Amino acid sequence: MALFSKKEKEKQAEHFEVLPNHLGIIMDGNGRWAKKRGLPRTAGHKVGAEVFRSICQECANLGIKYVTFYAFSTENWKRPQSEVDAIMDLFKDYLLEAKRDFVKAGDNKIIFIGEREGIRQDLVDLMDEAERDTADHNATTVYLAINYGGRQEIAAAVNKLIAQGKTKITEEDISANLYTVPECDMIIRPSGEERLSNFLLWQAAYSEFWYSDVLWPDFTVKDLYEALHEFEKRNRRFGA
Ligand code: FPP
């Protein structure tokens, strides 16, 4: 399946008066989707990975500048090893596919956020390669959060500042030492859960939230449009 197929890109995208500059998406509900069908949880992740591809593509069609997908949290290592391995294999499939496609039509930039340490080396190599190969691409920047935790990100930023000899730390110092993810304007969480789960804690300070009962493997571009139309209506005051 082409990652950034030209044909897809030429499709007329829905029109929006205003779009989030940075959209965050928590891909949730894969396990329940599979369970409802009497399938192993990994089957839900497999379909979830396909949905990730199509939503990624649609964000590019719409011209959203930044989108962050929460793919694997620092807490997800507690899952059974077989499930962790299956998710890592899906990342690998995606990265291998991406590698083939970058040459052709790729103009999305891919950046991984989270701790590299703890991730198997074959994946880390492909992640580094994907970042290098897409570094000068200028369509949507796709941040993939893998082995990511918002608290871990903030703690790491503070430790970097301490190592630089800082004794008084400002908000700007912390912002400047996080992964280079911009302020998040909207967070989408499907599957009926209404919590942040350690996602973009710092960047989500003024995020608009959109929840839905749809499970991630059933999430479609129509759901994305629904969330974005809701965003158009929100009155954002940033505390003023
Ligand atoms: C949350 O659903 C999902 C995950 C922890 C894994 C998400 C991974 C994918 C969608 C595959 C990603 C692949 C690529 C290529 C980015 P859950 O398992 O917690 O579902 P549940 O709450 O119903 O149990």
Side-chain angles (χ1 to χ4, degrees), residues 186-237:
M186 177 177 230
I187 291 184
I188 290 179
R189 181 163 195 166
S191 95
E193 308 292 356
E194 300 184 4
R195 56 177 170 265
L196 203 47
S197 298
N198 207 10
F199 183 50
L200 299 181
L201 292 185
W202 188 271
Q203 299 87 343
Y206 286 100
S207 270
E208 300 294 326
F209 284 99
W210 186 84
Y211 304 107
S212 145
D213 284 339
V214 67
L215 302 173
W216 177 251
D218 288 329
F219 193 90
T220 64
V221 291
K222 283 217 169 73
D223 296 303
L224 177 68
Y225 294 163
E226 196 186 303
L228 295 174
H229 280 306
E230 176 64 32
F231 182 79
E232 280 182 309
K233 291 187 223 146
R234 299 276 174 100
N235 176 13
R236 304 186 75 203
R237 292 184 301 280

Coordinates of all heavy atoms in Angstrom, one line a residue, residues 186-237:
M186 N -5.5 20.5 19.2 CA -6.6 19.6 19.4 C -6.2 18.2 19.6 O -5.2 17.8 19.0 CB -7.6 19.7 18.2 CG -8.7 18.7 18.4 SD -9.9 18.8 17.1 CE -11.4 18.9 18.0
I187 N -6.8 17.5 20.6 CA -6.5 16.1 20.8 C -7.8 15.3 20.5 O -8.9 15.6 21.0 CB -6.0 15.8 22.2 CG1 -4.6 16.5 22.3 CG2 -5.9 14.3 22.5 CD1 -3.9 16.2 23.6
I188 N -7.6 14.3 19.7 CA -8.7 13.4 19.3 C -8.5 12.1 20.1 O -7.4 11.5 20.0 CB -8.7 13.1 17.8 CG1 -9.2 14.4 17.1 CG2 -9.6 11.9 17.5 CD1 -9.2 14.2 15.5
R189 N -9.5 11.6 20.8 CA -9.4 10.3 21.5 C -10.6 9.5 21.2 O -11.7 9.8 21.8 CB -9.1 10.4 23.0 CG -9.0 9.0 23.6 CD -8.4 9.0 24.9 NE -7.9 7.7 25.3 CZ -7.1 7.3 26.3 NH1 -6.6 8.3 27.0 NH2 -6.8 6.1 26.5
P190 N -10.5 8.5 20.4 CA -11.7 7.6 20.2 C -11.8 6.6 21.3 O -11.0 6.6 22.2 CB -11.4 6.9 18.8 CG -9.9 6.9 18.7 CD -9.4 8.1 19.5
S191 N -12.7 5.7 21.2 CA -12.9 4.5 22.1 C -13.6 4.7 23.4 O -13.7 3.9 24.2 CB -11.6 3.8 22.3 OG -11.0 4.2 23.6
G192 N -14.1 6.0 23.6 CA -15.0 6.2 24.7 C -14.2 6.6 26.0 O -14.8 7.0 27.0
E193 N -12.9 6.6 25.9 CA -12.1 7.0 27.1 C -11.9 8.5 27.0 O -11.7 9.1 26.0 CB -10.7 6.4 27.1 CG -10.7 4.8 26.9 CD -11.2 4.1 28.1 OE1 -11.6 4.7 29.1 OE2 -11.4 2.9 28.1
E194 N -12.0 9.2 28.2 CA -11.9 10.6 28.2 C -10.8 11.0 29.1 O -11.0 11.6 30.2 CB -13.2 11.2 28.6 CG -14.3 10.8 27.7 CD -15.7 11.5 28.0 OE1 -15.7 12.3 28.9 OE2 -16.7 11.2 27.3
R195 N -9.5 10.7 28.8 CA -8.4 11.1 29.6 C -7.2 11.2 28.7 O -7.2 10.8 27.5 CB -8.1 10.1 30.7 CG -7.9 8.7 30.3 CD -7.6 7.7 31.4 NE -7.6 6.4 30.8 CZ -8.7 5.6 30.9 NH1 -9.8 6.0 31.5 NH2 -8.7 4.4 30.4
L196 N -6.2 11.9 29.2 CA -5.0 12.3 28.5 C -3.9 11.2 28.4 O -3.1 11.1 27.5 CB -4.4 13.6 29.1 CG -3.5 14.5 28.3 CD1 -4.1 14.8 26.9 CD2 -3.3 15.8 29.0
S197 N -3.9 10.3 29.5 CA -3.0 9.2 29.5 C -1.5 9.5 29.2 O -0.9 8.9 28.4 CB -3.4 8.1 28.5 OG -4.7 7.6 28.9
N198 N -1.1 10.6 29.8 CA 0.4 11.0 29.7 C 0.8 11.4 28.3 O 2.0 11.2 28.0 CB 1.2 9.8 30.2 CG 2.5 10.2 30.8 OD1 2.8 11.4 31.0 ND2 3.4 9.2 31.1
F199 N -0.1 11.9 27.6 CA 0.1 12.3 26.2 C 0.4 13.8 26.1 O -0.5 14.6 26.5 CB -1.0 11.9 25.3 CG -0.9 12.2 23.8 CD1 0.3 11.8 23.1 CD2 -1.9 12.8 23.1 CE1 0.4 12.0 21.8 CE2 -1.8 13.0 21.7 CZ -0.6 12.6 21.1
L200 N 1.5 14.3 25.6 CA 1.7 15.7 25.3 C 1.3 16.6 26.5 O 0.7 17.6 26.3 CB 1.0 16.1 24.0 CG 1.4 15.4 22.7 CD1 0.6 16.0 21.6 CD2 2.9 15.5 22.4
L201 N 1.7 16.2 27.7 CA 1.2 16.9 28.9 C 1.5 18.4 28.8 O 0.7 19.2 29.1 CB 1.9 16.4 30.1 CG 1.5 14.9 30.5 CD1 2.1 14.6 31.9 CD2 0.0 14.8 30.6
W202 N 2.7 18.7 28.4 CA 3.1 20.1 28.3 C 2.5 20.9 27.2 O 1.9 22.0 27.3 CB 4.7 20.2 28.2 CG 5.2 21.6 28.3 CD1 5.4 22.5 27.3 CD2 5.6 22.3 29.5 NE1 5.9 23.7 27.8 CE2 6.1 23.6 29.2 CE3 5.7 21.9 30.9 CZ2 6.6 24.5 30.1 CZ3 6.2 22.8 31.8 CH2 6.6 24.1 31.4
Q203 N 2.5 20.2 26.0 CA 2.0 20.9 24.8 C 0.5 21.0 24.7 O 0.0 21.7 23.9 CB 2.5 20.1 23.5 CG 4.0 20.0 23.4 CD 4.6 18.8 24.1 OE1 4.0 18.2 25.0 NE2 5.9 18.4 23.8
A204 N -0.2 20.2 25.6 CA -1.7 20.2 25.5 C -2.3 21.2 26.5 O -3.5 21.1 26.7 CB -2.2 18.8 25.8
A205 N -1.5 22.1 27.0 CA -2.0 23.0 28.0 C -3.3 23.7 27.6 O -4.2 23.9 28.3 CB -1.0 24.1 28.4
Y206 N -3.4 24.1 26.3 CA -4.6 24.7 25.8 C -5.3 23.9 24.6 O -5.9 24.5 23.7 CB -4.3 26.2 25.3 CG -4.1 27.0 26.6 CD1 -2.9 27.4 27.1 CD2 -5.3 27.5 27.3 CE1 -2.7 28.1 28.2 CE2 -5.1 28.2 28.4 CZ -3.9 28.5 28.9 OH -3.7 29.2 30.1
S207 N -5.1 22.6 24.7 CA -5.7 21.8 23.6 C -7.2 21.7 23.8 O -7.7 21.6 24.9 CB -5.2 20.3 23.7 OG -4.1 20.1 23.0
E208 N -7.9 21.7 22.6 CA -9.3 21.3 22.6 C -9.4 19.8 22.6 O -8.5 19.2 21.9 CB -10.0 21.9 21.4 CG -9.9 23.4 21.3 CD -10.7 24.1 22.4 OE1 -11.7 23.6 22.8 OE2 -10.2 25.2 22.8
F209 N -10.3 19.2 23.3 CA -10.5 17.8 23.2 C -11.7 17.4 22.4 O -12.7 18.0 22.5 CB -10.6 17.2 24.7 CG -9.3 17.2 25.4 CD1 -9.0 18.2 26.3 CD2 -8.4 16.2 25.2 CE1 -7.8 18.2 26.9 CE2 -7.2 16.2 25.9 CZ -6.9 17.2 26.7
W210 N -11.6 16.2 21.8 CA -12.7 15.6 21.1 C -12.7 14.1 21.3 O -11.7 13.5 21.1 CB -12.6 15.9 19.6 CG -13.8 15.5 18.8 CD1 -15.0 16.1 18.7 CD2 -14.0 14.2 18.1 NE1 -15.9 15.4 17.9 CE2 -15.3 14.2 17.6 CE3 -13.2 13.1 17.9 CZ2 -15.8 13.2 16.9 CZ3 -13.7 12.0 17.2 CH2 -15.0 12.1 16.7
Y211 N -13.8 13.7 21.9 CA -13.9 12.2 22.2 C -15.0 11.6 21.4 O -15.9 12.3 20.9 CB -14.3 12.1 23.7 CG -13.4 12.7 24.7 CD1 -13.8 13.9 25.3 CD2 -12.1 12.2 24.9 CE1 -12.9 14.5 26.3 CE2 -11.3 12.8 25.8 CZ -11.7 13.9 26.5 OH -10.9 14.5 27.4
S212 N -14.8 10.3 21.2 CA -15.9 9.6 20.5 C -15.9 8.1 20.9 O -14.9 7.6 21.4 CB -15.6 9.7 19.0 OG -16.0 8.6 18.3
D213 N -17.0 7.5 20.8 CA -17.1 6.1 21.2 C -16.5 5.1 20.1 O -16.3 4.0 20.4 CB -18.6 5.7 21.5 CG -19.1 6.3 22.8 OD1 -18.2 6.6 23.6 OD2 -20.3 6.4 22.9
V214 N -16.3 5.6 19.0 CA -15.8 4.8 17.9 C -14.4 4.2 18.3 O -13.6 4.9 18.8 CB -15.8 5.5 16.5 CG1 -14.8 6.6 16.5 CG2 -15.6 4.6 15.4
L215 N -14.2 2.9 18.0 CA -12.9 2.3 18.3 C -12.0 2.6 17.2 O -12.4 2.7 16.0 CB -13.1 0.8 18.5 CG -14.1 0.4 19.6 CD1 -14.3 -1.1 19.6 CD2 -13.6 0.9 21.0
W216 N -10.7 2.8 17.5 CA -9.7 3.3 16.5 C -9.8 2.5 15.2 O -9.8 3.1 14.1 CB -8.3 3.3 17.1 CG -7.3 3.7 16.1 CD1 -6.3 2.9 15.5 CD2 -7.1 5.0 15.5 NE1 -5.6 3.7 14.6 CE2 -6.1 5.0 14.6 CE3 -7.8 6.2 15.6 CZ2 -5.7 6.1 13.8 CZ3 -7.4 7.3 14.9 CH2 -6.4 7.2 14.0
P217 N -9.9 1.1 15.2 CA -9.9 0.4 13.9 C -11.1 0.8 13.1 O -11.1 0.5 11.9 CB -9.9 -1.1 14.3 CG -9.3 -1.1 15.7 CD -9.8 0.2 16.4
D218 N -12.2 1.3 13.7 CA -13.3 1.8 12.9 C -13.3 3.2 12.6 O -14.2 3.8 12.0 CB -14.6 1.5 13.8 CG -15.0 0.0 13.9 OD1 -14.6 -0.7 12.9 OD2 -15.5 -0.4 14.9
F219 N -12.3 3.9 13.0 CA -12.2 5.4 12.8 C -12.0 5.7 11.4 O -11.1 5.1 10.7 CB -11.0 5.9 13.7 CG -11.0 7.4 13.8 CD1 -11.6 8.0 14.9 CD2 -10.3 8.2 12.9 CE1 -11.5 9.4 15.0 CE2 -10.2 9.6 13.0 CZ -10.8 10.2 14.1
T220 N -12.8 6.6 10.8 CA -12.7 6.9 9.4 C -12.4 8.4 9.2 O -12.4 9.2 10.1 CB -14.0 6.6 8.7 OG1 -15.0 7.5 9.2 CG2 -14.4 5.2 8.9
V221 N -12.2 8.8 7.9 CA -11.9 10.2 7.7 C -13.2 11.0 8.0 O -13.1 12.2 8.4 CB -11.5 10.5 6.2 CG1 -10.2 10.0 5.9 CG2 -12.5 10.0 5.2
K222 N -14.3 10.4 8.0 CA -15.6 11.1 8.4 C -15.5 11.5 9.9 O -15.9 12.6 10.3 CB -16.8 10.2 8.2 CG -17.2 10.1 6.7 CD -18.8 10.1 6.6 CE -19.2 10.3 5.2 NZ -19.0 9.1 4.4
D223 N -15.0 10.6 10.7 CA -14.8 10.9 12.1 C -13.8 12.1 12.3 O -14.0 13.0 13.1 CB -14.3 9.7 12.9 CG -15.4 8.6 12.9 OD1 -16.5 8.8 13.3 OD2 -15.0 7.5 12.4
L224 N -12.8 12.0 11.5 CA -11.8 13.1 11.5 C -12.4 14.5 11.1 O -12.3 15.5 11.8 CB -10.6 12.8 10.5 CG -9.5 13.9 10.4 CD1 -8.7 14.0 11.7 CD2 -8.6 13.6 9.2
Y225 N -13.2 14.4 10.1 CA -13.9 15.7 9.7 C -14.9 16.2 10.8 O -14.9 17.4 11.0 CB -14.8 15.4 8.4 CG -14.1 15.1 7.1 CD1 -14.7 14.5 6.1 CD2 -12.7 15.4 7.0 CE1 -14.0 14.2 4.9 CE2 -12.0 15.1 5.8 CZ -12.7 14.5 4.8 OH -12.0 14.2 3.6
E226 N -15.5 15.2 11.4 CA -16.5 15.6 12.5 C -15.7 16.3 13.6 O -16.1 17.4 14.1 CB -17.1 14.4 13.1 CG -18.4 14.6 13.9 CD -18.9 13.4 14.6 OE1 -19.2 12.4 13.9 OE2 -19.0 13.4 15.8
A227 N -14.6 15.8 14.0 CA -13.7 16.4 15.0 C -13.3 17.8 14.5 O -13.3 18.8 15.3 CB -12.5 15.5 15.3
L228 N -12.8 17.9 13.3 CA -12.3 19.2 12.8 C -13.4 20.2 12.7 O -13.2 21.4 12.9 CB -11.6 18.9 11.5 CG -10.3 18.1 11.6 CD1 -9.7 17.8 10.2 CD2 -9.2 18.7 12.5
H229 N -14.6 19.8 12.3 CA -15.7 20.8 12.2 C -16.1 21.3 13.6 O -16.4 22.4 13.8 CB -16.9 20.1 11.5 CG -16.8 20.1 10.0 ND1 -16.5 21.3 9.3 CD2 -16.9 19.1 9.1 CE1 -16.4 21.0 8.0 NE2 -16.6 19.7 7.9
E230 N -15.9 20.4 14.6 CA -16.1 20.8 16.0 C -15.1 21.8 16.4 O -15.4 22.8 17.0 CB -16.1 19.5 16.9 CG -16.2 19.7 18.3 CD -17.5 20.3 18.8 OE1 -18.5 20.0 18.2 OE2 -17.5 21.1 19.8
F231 N -13.8 21.6 16.0 CA -12.7 22.5 16.3 C -13.1 23.9 15.7 O -12.8 24.9 16.4 CB -11.4 22.0 15.7 CG -10.2 22.8 16.0 CD1 -9.6 22.8 17.2 CD2 -9.7 23.7 15.0 CE1 -8.5 23.6 17.5 CE2 -8.7 24.6 15.3 CZ -8.1 24.5 16.6
E232 N -13.6 23.9 14.5 CA -14.0 25.2 13.9 C -14.9 26.1 14.8 O -14.9 27.3 14.7 CB -14.8 25.0 12.6 CG -13.9 24.6 11.4 CD -14.8 24.4 10.1 OE1 -15.8 23.7 10.2 OE2 -14.4 25.0 9.1
K233 N -15.7 25.3 15.5 CA -16.8 26.0 16.4 C -16.2 26.4 17.7 O -16.9 27.2 18.4 CB -18.0 25.1 16.6 CG -18.7 24.8 15.3 CD -20.0 24.0 15.7 CE -20.2 22.9 14.7 NZ -20.8 21.7 15.3
R234 N -15.1 25.9 18.1 CA -14.6 26.2 19.5 C -14.2 27.6 19.6 O -13.5 28.1 18.7 CB -13.5 25.2 19.9 CG -13.9 23.8 19.9 CD -14.5 23.3 21.2 NE -15.0 21.9 21.1 CZ -14.4 20.9 21.6 NH1 -13.2 21.0 22.2 NH2 -14.9 19.7 21.4
N235 N -14.5 28.2 20.8 CA -14.1 29.6 21.0 C -12.8 29.5 21.9 O -12.9 29.2 23.1 CB -15.2 30.3 21.7 CG -14.9 31.7 22.1 OD1 -13.8 32.3 21.7 ND2 -15.7 32.3 22.9
R236 N -11.7 29.7 21.4 CA -10.4 29.5 22.1 C -10.0 30.8 22.7 O -9.7 31.8 22.0 CB -9.4 28.9 21.2 CG -9.8 27.6 20.6 CD -8.7 27.0 19.8 NE -7.8 26.3 20.7 CZ -6.5 26.1 20.3 NH1 -6.0 26.5 19.1 NH2 -5.7 25.5 21.2
R237 N -9.9 30.9 24.0 CA -9.5 32.1 24.7 C -8.2 32.1 25.4 O -7.7 33.1 25.8 CB -10.6 32.5 25.7 CG -12.0 32.8 25.1 CD -13.0 33.3 26.1 NE -13.2 32.2 27.1 CZ -14.0 31.2 26.9 NH1 -14.7 31.0 25.8 NH2 -14.2 30.3 27.9

